[in-house]
Amino acid sequence: MNPLGHFGITLFVFGFVIFGLVARDKMRAAKIITVTALVMGIAPDIDLQIVQLSHRGVTHTIWAAFLAGGILAFIAYCFEPLALAGKQEESLYGFVTGFVGICCHLAGDVITPMGIKPFYPLLTKPHTFDLVSAFNGPANLAFLVAGILTYQLTIHQARISDPVPAYITGFNHDELRFDSESGTDIET
């Protein structure tokens, strides 16, 4: 895949990852995670710039995903850039962003004829689904459009969702005029 396709796959997946953050109105965290995930989504292709690394080698493995997740978890734990509930939640989102971001890249490359070696050096046989060429412009564009649309729809749903339904808060429903069954409908 080219970067556009990788961005699309990453946006598709991370729309669901940050749904809860947007529903809780944690927009700063959602924005930082989205940008970081997009970077992680193309990070394995750094091997194209480093002569000593073969393309789709060690940077395209599950080990690279664990390493990226660990590094981002450590950074989030130390600096708490997301302004979430505490160090544990920060580091969890850091790990998920690094790990899943790299896995999004791997998902984009495993569908190409060249494939990837996700467990290299333990398993050296490439895995491929051979569905689409990495240089197929319409396919990469389709992934990007699908990713953007899914991301936008997911974020929209998160904004209109009720993260803590009224019936859980213990408020007196009669005073708030809520319907007793759902706890969310307002009588008119």
Side-chain angles (χ1 to χ4, degrees), residues 59 81 86 94 103 114 147-148 155-156 158 165 168 172:
T59 62
C103 287
M114 184 177 176
I148 290 171
I155 301 309
H156 175 72
I168 293 176
N172 184 343

Side-chain angles (χ1 to χ4, degrees), residues 1-12 38 136-152:
M1 304 247 66
N2 72 26
L4 294 180
H6 287 302
F7 288 146
I9 292 170
T10 304
L11 286 171
F12 179 86
L38 288 170
N136 185 326
N140 281 290
L141 187 59
F143 277 113
L144 179 63
V145 170
I148 290 171
L149 290 176
T150 304
Y151 183 86
Q152 289 296 321

Side-chain angles (χ1 to χ4, degrees), residues 82-184:
L82 304 176
L84 296 175
K87 290 184 179 286
Q88 288 181 334
E89 188 177 16
E90 291 271 340
S91 56
L92 173 67
Y93 274 101
F95 180 80
V96 167
T97 304
F99 182 81
V100 175
I102 299 293
C103 287
C104 288
H105 186 94
L106 300 181
D109 283 350
V110 77
I111 64 173
T112 64
M114 184 177 176
I116 58 171
K117 300 174 187 174
F119 299 105
Y120 180 84
L122 298 178
L123 301 173
T124 57
K125 181 181 177 199
H127 296 279
T128 180
F129 291 115
D130 195 9
L131 297 175
V132 63
S133 168
F135 304 106
N136 185 326
N140 281 290
L141 187 59
F143 277 113
L144 179 63
V145 170
I148 290 171
L149 290 176
T150 304
Y151 183 86
Q152 289 296 321
L153 288 172
T154 306
I155 301 309
H156 175 72
Q157 280 304 117
R159 286 184 175 151
I160 63 173
S161 71
D162 185 7
V164 183
Y167 59 85
I168 293 176
T169 63
F171 291 128
N172 184 343
H173 295 277
D174 293 331
E175 291 176 10
L176 297 174
R177 299 172 41 173
F178 284 121
D179 177 57
S180 61
E181 276 187 33
S182 69
T184 56

